Amino acid sequence: MNTADAKRILETALICSAQPLPVRDLRVLFGDELGADTIKTLLVELQEDWTQRGLELVSVGTGWRFQSRPDMRDHLDRLHPEKPPRYTRAVLETLAIIAYRQPVTRGDMEDIRGVTINSLIIKQLEDRNWVEVIGHRETVGRPGLYATTRQFLDDLGLESLDQLPVIESPAQQGALVDALARMGESEQATLAIDDPQDAPSVPAEPTADLAADPVAELSPEPPEAAESDTHLPTEPRHGTEP
């Protein structure tokens, strides 16, 4: 089989697949006639072939997929106009802590945020298949250790956690929320986590609109507004979820 035919087969399979395809599955297309290294080389060549098109071939957590380029989003959104998703600060902060500090217990998250975390927030993240319990800490009560899933990487268009924005200093902890909010603007992301109507409501939280620039909102708040603060404190603040 020549290279052109092999690339055409890969291209067709990836475009027709509703889910990312790992290299091991792509090898099945050729009856294992082609090795993993050869498949990866062909995929890189396909990436280059599509550089001038509206779709791009990317590698994410669970495999390879075609997706629309970010600069196509404004045009595609006209087919299905929707309001920009909004996220509670509590959800974004909790997700950011898990993504950057994993594995972490609920107690760890509460120490970092400085407030008690509502159980529904973690349940929402679990229901979205973004976080999961991967073990238990060997201490009193054996609390669950939370980590992000491969679905989390897929939805943010990432291949690994190494691609998350780097936080270089404690002063930049507020950027954890900002980073996930910005990444949520990609067409593939589904960060909008709304309370189901038939579930108990979560106490009201300040919300963040991803269409707006959240950087300006990350400055420290005065003490009386501490519970709705959008940045993660370096020292715990003890209280209850707003």
Side-chain angles (χ1 to χ4, degrees):
M1 179 180 299
N2 60 45
T3 298
D5 287 341
K7 287 166 64 175
R8 184 173 61 176
I9 293 171
L10 289 172
E11 183 179 71
T12 303
L14 288 165
I15 290 177
C16 293
S17 176
Q19 302 294 333
L21 295 175
V23 172
R24 66 175 178 274
D25 288 354
L26 293 173
R27 291 187 63 187
V28 176
L29 295 169
F30 308 97
D32 285 338
E33 180 182 340
L34 300 182
D37 290 342
T38 301
I39 297 291
K40 291 177 182 177
T41 298
L42 293 174
L43 290 170
V44 171
E45 291 181 9
L46 269 179
Q47 281 183 314
E48 296 174 354
D49 293 344
W50 283 74
T51 53
Q52 301 301 318
R53 303 183 187 181
L55 296 179
E56 61 181 349
L57 178 60
V58 299
S59 176
V60 293
T62 57
W64 292 74
R65 74 180 178 198
F66 275 102
Q67 64 186 37
S68 61
R69 293 186 181 278
D71 57 358
M72 294 289 104
R73 180 183 177 186
D74 289 342
H75 302 284
L76 295 176
D77 282 350
R78 295 170 186 169
L79 292 175
H80 305 285
E82 297 179 359
K83 294 182 179 180
R86 299 177 68 84
Y87 318 89
T88 66
R89 290 295 181 183
V91 168
L92 282 176
E93 288 181 358
T94 301
L95 179 58
I97 291 168
I98 296 173
Y100 280 85
R101 305 292 182 87
Q102 61 185 300
V104 291
T105 65
R106 179 172 172 176
D108 295 333
M109 301 178 218
E110 292 178 340
D111 285 343
I112 294 171
R113 286 199 69 218
V115 295
T116 300
I117 294 177
N118 192 302
S119 297
L120 289 180
I121 290 177
I122 296 178
K123 184 178 185 301
Q124 286 173 327
L125 293 173
E126 290 179 316
D127 288 345
R128 292 284 177 167
N129 195 25
W130 277 38
V131 305
E132 62 183 352
V133 174
I134 61 170
H136 295 82
R137 181 170 293 168
E138 295 301 328
T139 186
V140 179
R142 300 187 74 247
L145 290 166
Y146 290 89
T148 53
T149 64
R150 287 191 175 274
Q151 186 66 47
F152 169 78
L153 295 175
D154 284 356
D155 288 347
L156 290 187
L158 302 176
E159 184 175 4
S160 70
L161 292 170
D162 293 340
Q163 294 176 316
L164 285 172
V166 176
I167 304 303
E168 298 179 347
S169 69
Q172 293 177 302
Q173 287 187 0
L176 299 181
V177 176
D178 181 30
L180 288 179
R182 287 183 178 278
M183 296 177 75
E185 292 179 359
S186 68
E187 180 182 343
Q188 291 71 35
T190 55
L191 270 173
I193 301 178
D194 301 320
D195 297 336
Q197 294 181 356
D198 57 349
S201 60
V202 178
E205 290 279 349
T207 57
D209 190 337
L210 295 190
D213 183 358
V215 175
E217 301 175 12
L218 295 176
S219 58
E221 297 288 344
E224 61 270 20
E227 289 194 345
S228 62
D229 194 359
T230 61
H231 73 282
L232 305 184
T234 55
E235 295 294 335
R237 296 191 308 272
H238 297 289
T240 57
E241 192 72 87

